[in-house]
Amino acid sequence: MEMLDLISSVDLREFRGIKSLEKPLPLKRFTVLLGENACGKTSVLDALSLLPHPNAPTPKPLNVVKDCGHRAEVLKTIRGRFESLVYGYEGEAVVHASVGGREAVLEVSSKGFGRARGDGSRSLDVGEACTAFGLDVDDVVYLPSSGIFVRALEGGLYSQWPMVEKRGAHTAASEVFGDEVSEVVPRFNELFVRRVVGGISRYVRLRDVGALERTLLAVTWIEVLKPKVVLWDDVDAGLHQTAVKALAKWLSEGDFQVVASAHSPRTAELFKEAYAGDVQQLVLRKDLSDVVSFEQR
C-alpha cells in the first residue's frame, strides 16, 4: 500500500512535559508508543496533532464545536490552558516533523500564538502550510484520551449527521464489531447504538456502552473523513482484547498512517498480527532532566 505524505519522523523541543527528545522519533505505517505513565507518549501525539499548522481549522465536524475551532485551541481545551503546551509554562514549544520528505516546523507559544515554517525561515499561513506539507486540514485526525473531547466529537457528529449518513459512516461500526453493533444513529438529541436482537431493533445510548463509546465515535469519524494520518492516544483503553483485535483489523485495511499509544505490549502484538508484521514499537523513557529517549522494537 502506497502511503502518501507519510510522517517519517518527529522531534520536539520544550513541548508539554518534554524538554527535548534524545533524537527524532522514526515513524512508520503503524507505530505504537509504549512506556510508563508520564514518559511522553501523549505529548508526542499532541504535537503531531498540530499538523499542518497550529492555527489550522480542526477536521470536520469538530470545527463547528465551541472551543474547538483550530488545532491548538483543541489542545488548550483538553489540557486546560495554552501554557500547558509549553515546557515550564513559559516561552515557545517547537515541533519538527518530516512529512512526505518535506520539513515542517510548528511553533506554539505559552500565549497561544502558533505558526508554521517550511524548509525556509518564512512563516506560512494555513493555506501555504497545507500546500507545502501536502496535508489538507481534514487529513490528520487525533483521538485524545479525554472525556471533554469525546463529548465534543459526539456533539459535532450529531450536528452534522446528514454528512455522516451520506458518506455511509454510520454503519462503519458494524464493519468492526459485526453483530454487536448494527449502526450509530441520532435519537433524542444524542447518539445511540442500534443492535438487532431476535429481529427487533434495540437502542442503547452511546454514553452507556463504556469504553467502547470513544472507539465507536472514532471509527465513525475516520470513516467520514478518510484521513491520511490517524493519531490515537490510549488506543486500547478499557477494551477487551477481542475488541482490540477487531479494531486492529479494521485499521489495517485503511489507507492511512497510524500513530497510537497503548498501555499493553499485547496490544502491539495484536496490531502486528493485523498488519502482517508492518508495525513498529517505540518504548519511550524519560530521564530526570525530562529528556525522552526510546528503544525501537
Side-chain angles (χ1 to χ4, degrees):
M1 179 180 297
E2 182 182 5
M3 294 299 302
L4 299 177
D5 301 313
L6 180 72
I7 304 173
S8 58
S9 68
V10 62
D11 197 6
L12 310 181
R13 188 178 76 241
E14 299 204 343
F15 189 88
R16 294 197 64 210
I18 297 177
K19 187 173 183 180
S20 65
L21 298 181
E22 187 175 75
K23 58 182 178 180
L25 298 181
L27 303 176
K28 294 189 176 181
R29 184 190 169 202
F30 194 105
T31 299
V32 181
L33 306 178
L34 300 168
E36 298 179 356
N37 290 338
C39 70
K41 302 187 297 294
T42 298
S43 294
V44 170
L45 295 171
D46 279 4
L48 289 169
S49 77
L50 295 173
L51 284 166
H53 193 296
N55 298 333
T58 51
K60 300 185 292 287
L62 275 180
N63 58 336
V64 301
V65 178
K66 181 182 178 183
D67 298 327
C68 292
H70 60 78
R71 292 170 187 275
E73 187 179 29
V74 171
L75 294 184
K76 179 254 184 183
T77 298
I78 62 179
R79 305 301 171 209
R81 53 181 183 165
F82 281 119
E83 290 94 328
S84 296
L85 305 184
V86 181
Y87 183 81
Y89 307 116
E90 193 277 330
E92 189 172 70
V94 182
V95 180
H96 290 259
S98 180
V99 185
R102 297 174 284 264
E103 292 303 311
V105 182
L106 312 177
E107 300 165 344
V108 180
S109 77
S110 56
K111 305 299 182 184
F113 301 114
R115 65 176 180 171
R117 293 183 285 115
D119 294 328
S121 59
R122 184 176 68 86
S123 292
L124 306 174
D125 63 27
V126 172
E128 290 172 330
C130 290
T131 300
F133 309 142
L135 290 172
D136 189 61
V137 294
D138 289 337
D139 281 342
V140 180
V141 300
Y142 180 30
L143 285 306
S145 182
S146 162
I148 294 173
F149 181 85
V150 168
R151 296 280 70 78
L153 181 55
E154 181 185 10
L157 289 170
Y158 183 92
S159 69
Q160 302 292 308
W161 199 253
M163 175 181 67
V164 176
E165 286 195 330
K166 185 171 183 177
R167 301 185 184 188
H170 61 300
T171 60
S174 66
E175 299 174 18
V176 184
F177 300 107
D179 294 338
E180 293 185 37
V181 178
S182 295
E183 62 178 336
V184 178
V185 296
R187 302 184 84 206
F188 312 120
N189 298 316
E190 60 181 306
L191 296 181
F192 281 68
V193 173
R194 184 177 73 87
R195 297 181 60 199
V196 178
V197 181
I200 300 174
S201 292
R202 306 291 186 185
Y203 296 88
V204 181
R205 296 173 73 224
L206 200 58
R207 300 186 188 195
D208 291 338
V209 298
L212 203 57
E213 177 189 13
R214 185 172 70 123
T215 305
L216 293 175
L217 287 171
V219 167
T220 303
W221 191 30
I222 292 168
E223 192 64 25
V224 167
L225 295 182
K226 299 189 181 301
K228 293 180 180 177
V229 180
V230 174
L231 310 170
W232 200 320
D233 194 22
D234 290 341
V235 68
D236 54 352
L239 296 180
H240 187 274
Q241 285 191 4
T242 302
V244 174
K245 188 173 183 178
L247 177 61
K249 181 179 183 300
W250 182 80
L251 287 172
S252 71
E253 295 169 351
D255 191 12
F256 41 71
Q257 180 184 16
V258 179
V259 184
S261 69
H263 290 286
S264 169
R266 176 56 181 157
T267 296
E269 292 304 316
L270 290 173
F271 276 101
K272 192 172 183 179
E273 292 172 11
Y275 278 77
D278 191 17
V279 171
Q280 171 183 242
Q281 300 178 50
L282 298 180
V283 182
L284 306 189
R285 295 183 178 85
K286 184 190 289 186
D287 66 20
L288 296 178
S289 300
D290 294 330
V291 175
V292 173
S293 59
F294 66 90
E295 177 187 350
Q296 191 172 4
R297 297 178 180 175

